[in-house]
Amino acid sequence: MNTIATVKIAVNALSINKMRSSLTMLGIIIGVAAVIAMISVGSGARAQISKEIASLGSNLLMVWPGTATSGGLRMGFGTTPTLTSDDAKAIAAEVSSVSFVAPVLNGTAQVVYGNQNWSTIVTGTTSNFFELREWPVVSGKVFTQRDVDGATKVALLGQTVVENLFGNEDPLGNIIRIKKIPFKIVGVLARKGQSPIGQDQDDSIYIPLTTAQKRLFGTRFPGMVRMIITKASSPDMIKNAEADITALLRQRHHIMAGKEDDFSVRNLTEMLSTAEQAAKIMSILLGSIASVSLIVGGIGIMNIMLVSVTERTREIGIRMAVGARARDILMQFLIEAVVLAIIGGGIGIGVGAMGSWLISYFAGWEIDISLFAILLAFGFSAITGIFFGFYPARKASRMAPVECLRYE
Amino acid sequence: MTGLIDTSDLTKVYKMGDVDFTALQGVSLAIKKGEFVAVMGPSGSGKSTFMNIIGCLDTPTSGKYLLDKQDVSDLSKNDLAAIRNKKIGFVFQSFNLLSKTSALENVELPLLYNGSPSKIRREQSVSALRLVGLEERKNHRPNQLSGGQQQRVAIARALVNNPSLILADEPTGNLDSQTSIELMTLFKKLNKENNITIVMVTHEADIAAYGDRRIYFKDGRIVKDDKR
Ligand SMILES: Nc1ncnc2c1ncn2[C@@H]1O[C@H](COP(=O)(O)OP(=O)(O)O)[C@@H](O)[C@H]1O
Ligand SMILES: [Mg+2]
């Protein structure tokens, strides 16, 4: 018996019980939709993350003060004033595996221009910072080492600050007041977008480190910084740099062997791989939904096919009486199961594509619906149909013709 | 006339739990090509069991069965299916048509299983329907046809592959007497004009009278064989 005729018979048989057929497909539809969503969201998220890594700059190491255990209390990052500008200078001078060093001291401050005011994060740092973050200016220029040495009152603005204080006006050369202290604007930074933790990186002002220390966020610890950002000279050097910085700072802070560090060094690439891990977990989650519903859908198909074989016992007997071989009956029911699974798979692909599109629309993620994903989903549904359709089909094919014809 | 069916000492034992039930206790019978045989006997005497065995739907427990000089007692299931397809046409008391399928597609069914191309399938099915006088009803489904018409469709299906043998197990059991007579006229015509061998089970003497030969079953044995 030829395949086209068999497929026709299968489609006819399925269309007799439309409601039942559609309900049976549901599991496959959900499973395949999850496969499509898994692949498109997964590859989209990976693309997003690598873009974020690029926006932060590569090979970065962050040094924070703290994590010293004092009296059983673990203190949070940045609460103990143990990191200074001198530490940063020492790292720059003595650690050869590091190519850039930028100490940072930041805080929130009210900024006023004319009758506009805006609350933003003001960061004191050195000119290295902008090279290290690969963050150029779009107008004006970055402040220099001379500004840092002289603690001059100059500022670089991020795009969000410009929009909120100046609107369409050119900010260059104007004076703003940060905590009532006048600063001259020497440059505007390029748009940087969101950080991996969802912060608007353009909502920021940068000033020389010394100015921040002396004028804005002064404490009783002169020279204190909140963080030192360093860049390893190459990806291979990240581990070396981490060890060298740790050794140097332990020596400078007179920490005896066996005692804990009073600072911590974090590798940014490592932190981002955590984000990548999260995307992977999302994929695994969708993958498990996919496999569970494909299995459940398959069992549904098997169940309905078993019912169908019993209901159509007489039909099987008639077909055998006029010359159908066991193989013909097997193929008829197997193809029926596969057609059911494949139609379900086709609908599932549509639903999955629509779902992925909605995720991308509302979550702002990129998605990537590939031909590979579609073929994979199709293959999965066909395999599910064959796997779960085989047992009922074989059962049908093994029935004795006389028994089938006697069946009421 | 040459022999078509030749059985010797056929037995059939049904196992029902611990007890065995012998439905056929040694049936030996020869039927020649072109005969029209009526099989009679009380209910439960083994008529259907015998028909199923000579129709290759079932196999005997012991004994020998030659169909067209070929020993079919020990053929594989696939070979039996091929024989049913090519040599035998069945007509049942309950018609046994596929209910959601048109008359034409019902008649085509045997041709689906011997790989006939769709054009041939169509032509042969239409001419089989014409032979039973139902060509213009070919797109009707069984529930749109009367009992007599449904049985004619079943006969067309039995004829479509040009079989040498038609086996009819109480073909008029569900039909009124007028329709039964029409059906017997058709059988008679197929037997005489197309030289098709017919073996037919019936309870009714006036229906059995259409046959050339009457065989009586009782308790799984042939008790009487009336040749005209
Ligand atoms: N599959 C079966 N299992 C057990 N007993 C059967 C089976 N088929 C038929 N029989 C028994 O065999 C006997 C003959 O049956 P059957 O050939 O159908 O009689 P009939 O002459 O009425 O057509 C009956 O007593 C019936 O109950
Ligand atoms: Mg009977």
Side-chain angles (χ1 to χ4, degrees):
Chain A
M1 185 162 166
N2 68 45
T3 321
I4 299 167
T6 317
V7 171
K8 244 191 220 161
I9 290 173
V11 172
N12 281 341
L14 292 172
S15 60
I16 285 168
N17 247 319
K18 288 194 188 68
M19 187 66 179
R20 185 160 95 182
S21 302
S22 353
L23 287 175
T24 309
M25 286 174 199
L26 212 56
I28 299 286
I29 293 175
I30 295 171
V32 167
V35 169
I36 294 285
M38 166 185 79
I39 296 174
S40 44
V41 169
S43 60
R46 245 188 305 282
Q48 188 97 357
I49 286 162
S50 41
K51 219 168 84 182
E52 275 164 3
I53 291 176
S55 94
L56 275 173
S58 42
N59 310 337
L60 296 191
L61 288 161
M62 323 284 236
V63 187
W64 275 285
T67 73
T69 325
S70 44
L73 256 177
R74 198 166 206 33
M75 302 180 71
F77 286 136
T79 48
T80 340
T82 52
L83 219 51
T84 64
S85 327
D86 288 343
D87 287 329
K89 279 180 195 147
I91 293 171
E94 292 176 38
V95 179
S96 59
S97 45
V98 155
S99 56
F100 290 105
V101 178
V104 162
L105 176 64
N106 56 9
T108 315
Q110 194 73 18
V111 188
V112 180
Y113 172 73
N115 55 6
Q116 303 291 318
N117 70 83
W118 184 246
S119 177
T120 187
I121 294 171
V122 178
T123 304
T125 187
T126 61
S127 52
N128 274 347
F129 179 87
F130 305 96
E131 286 175 72
L132 191 147
R133 292 287 312 275
E134 292 159 27
W135 197 356
V137 289
V138 287
S139 64
K141 54 189 192 315
V142 171
F143 52 74
T144 62
Q145 191 56 41
R146 285 249 306 280
D147 293 310
V148 176
D149 291 341
T152 56
K153 290 177 275 183
V154 292
L156 294 169
L157 302 191
Q159 294 285 345
T160 306
V161 176
V162 173
E163 281 156 21
N164 283 286
L165 288 183
F166 291 90
N168 292 328
E169 200 183 326
D170 182 9
L172 219 57
N174 283 311
I175 305 290
I176 54 171
R177 289 172 181 275
I178 305 172
K179 283 192 172 176
K180 301 207 171 72
I181 302 163
F183 282 78
K184 185 180 177 198
I185 296 162
V186 294
V188 173
L189 290 160
R191 188 173 294 281
K192 192 78 169 165
Q194 292 212 329
S195 75
I197 53 168
Q199 244 174 357
D200 178 8
Q201 300 182 85
D202 299 310
D203 189 5
S204 58
I205 294 179
Y206 290 88
I207 61 173
L209 175 68
T210 44
T211 318
Q213 286 169 330
K214 288 175 186 158
R215 309 262 177 184
L216 289 184
F217 311 118
T219 63
R220 57 201 171 88
F221 305 100
M224 170 196 145
V225 298
R226 197 175 297 281
M227 173 169 64
I228 299 170
I229 307 176
T230 68
K231 184 185 173 89
S233 48
S234 74
D236 312 333
M237 296 306 273
I238 292 176
K239 286 282 163 227
N240 278 348
E242 205 171 332
D244 292 349
I245 292 168
T246 306
L248 176 68
L249 290 183
R250 283 181 72 89
Q251 188 199 339
R252 286 180 54 83
H253 295 181
H254 310 294
I255 298 168
M256 281 184 286
K259 294 272 185 191
E260 243 186 288
D261 297 343
D262 64 353
F263 59 90
S264 61
V265 184
R266 284 295 167 85
N267 175 345
L268 200 65
T269 323
E270 237 166 48
M271 289 165 63
L272 276 169
S273 74
T274 318
E276 206 158 36
Q277 205 65 35
K280 219 176 258 169
I281 287 170
M282 179 81 180
S283 281
I284 291 172
L285 195 76
L286 281 165
S288 351
I289 294 174
S291 39
V292 167
S293 25
L294 278 176
I295 290 172
V296 171
I299 292 170
I301 287 183
M302 181 147 119
N303 184 33
I304 285 302
M305 290 311 294
L306 282 171
V307 170
S308 176
V309 166
T310 308
E311 280 178 356
R312 285 151 68 191
T313 301
R314 201 163 247 269
E315 176 193 327
I316 295 166
I318 295 170
R319 289 178 184 277
M320 285 177 160
V322 301
R325 286 157 301 176
R327 190 162 49 104
D328 296 320
I329 302 293
L330 182 99
M331 284 311 285
Q332 182 189 332
F333 282 91
L334 194 56
I335 285 183
E336 204 172 306
V338 172
V339 166
L340 200 59
I342 283 182
I343 294 174
I347 298 173
I349 288 170
V351 172
M354 224 151 68
S356 314
W357 183 82
L358 283 177
I359 290 175
S360 81
Y361 187 81
F362 288 112
W365 288 5
E366 278 179 47
I367 53 154
D368 182 7
I369 300 169
S370 60
L371 184 68
F372 167 75
I374 289 172
L375 289 178
L376 191 79
F378 231 82
F380 266 135
S381 43
I383 288 170
T384 307
I386 292 171
F387 186 83
F388 288 98
F390 186 76
Y391 174 72
R394 201 180 65 144
K395 193 179 162 201
S397 73
R398 291 194 163 186
M399 298 202 287
V402 255
E403 303 298 332
C404 294
L405 286 170
R406 214 197 316 268
Y407 187 86
E408 286 305 328
Chain B
M1 276 202 278
T2 48
L4 179 64
I5 290 170
D6 192 354
T7 73
S8 51
D9 217 15
L10 285 185
T11 70
K12 182 70 184 179
V13 179
Y14 291 114
K15 290 206 185 309
M16 299 191 297
D18 320 327
V19 271
D20 287 354
F21 179 82
T22 309
L24 291 182
Q25 346 212 11
V27 175
S28 301
L29 180 70
I31 295 173
K32 295 196 185 69
K33 279 189 182 149
E35 275 192 279
F36 185 172
V37 181
V39 177
M40 302 191 72
S43 184
S45 57
K47 305 181 295 291
S48 294
T49 305
F50 176 70
M51 293 289 274
N52 289 338
I53 291 172
I54 62 173
C56 295
L57 279 170
D58 206 355
T59 47
T61 308
S62 71
K64 207 174 170 98
Y65 171 29
L66 300 181
L67 174 64
D68 222 357
K69 301 189 182 63
Q70 183 187 13
D71 189 352
V72 295
S73 353
D74 48 23
L75 285 182
S76 73
K77 282 183 184 164
N78 279 348
D79 292 336
L80 290 177
I83 287 178
R84 291 196 297 270
N85 184 264
K86 280 198 215 79
K87 296 195 171 167
I88 302 168
F90 291 95
V91 179
F92 304 92
Q93 176 178 358
S94 52
F95 318 140
N96 275 340
L97 298 174
L98 299 183
S99 55
K100 313 280 180 177
T101 315
S102 73
L104 186 69
E105 287 170 305
N106 265 293
V107 175
E108 273 187 359
L109 207 55
L111 301 174
L112 269 182
Y113 294 110
N114 64 14
S116 309
S118 63
K119 195 162 167 272
I120 306 268
R121 287 207 300 264
R122 172 135 312 212
E123 281 169 13
Q124 276 183 245
S125 309
V126 169
S127 67
L129 278 171
R130 188 180 309 131
L131 200 61
V132 300
L134 277 179
E135 192 189 352
E136 68 284 5
R137 301 293 169 95
K138 61 175 185 277
N139 294 321
H140 288 51
R141 277 186 277 142
N143 61 4
Q144 299 166 322
L145 297 169
S146 72
Q149 288 170 328
Q150 290 184 55
Q151 196 61 300
R152 282 165 186 270
V153 173
I155 292 167
R157 181 180 66 192
L159 289 171
V160 75
N161 238 347
N162 298 315
S164 36
L165 176 63
I166 281 187
L167 297 175
D169 195 346
E170 302 187 37
T172 59
N174 285 351
L175 302 177
D176 60 60
S177 51
Q178 183 54 40
T179 317
S180 301
I181 292 168
E182 284 169 23
L183 207 69
M184 285 307 109
T185 317
L186 176 61
F187 268 18
K188 202 80 196 158
K189 184 182 121 189
L190 291 172
N191 177 243
K192 290 283 163 291
E193 294 175 14
N194 302 55
N195 199 34
I196 293 170
T197 312
I198 297 175
V199 181
M200 171 184 75
V201 173
T202 182
H203 285 296
E204 296 149 84
D206 52 338
I207 296 296
Y210 284 89
D212 314 318
R213 177 181 176 188
R214 274 161 297 281
I215 293 168
Y216 294 86
F217 269 73
K218 193 162 187 272
D219 299 332
R221 283 198 181 84
I222 294 175
V223 292
K224 202 166 143 201
D225 190 344
D226 266 356
K227 242 185 233 189
R228 187 168 286 170

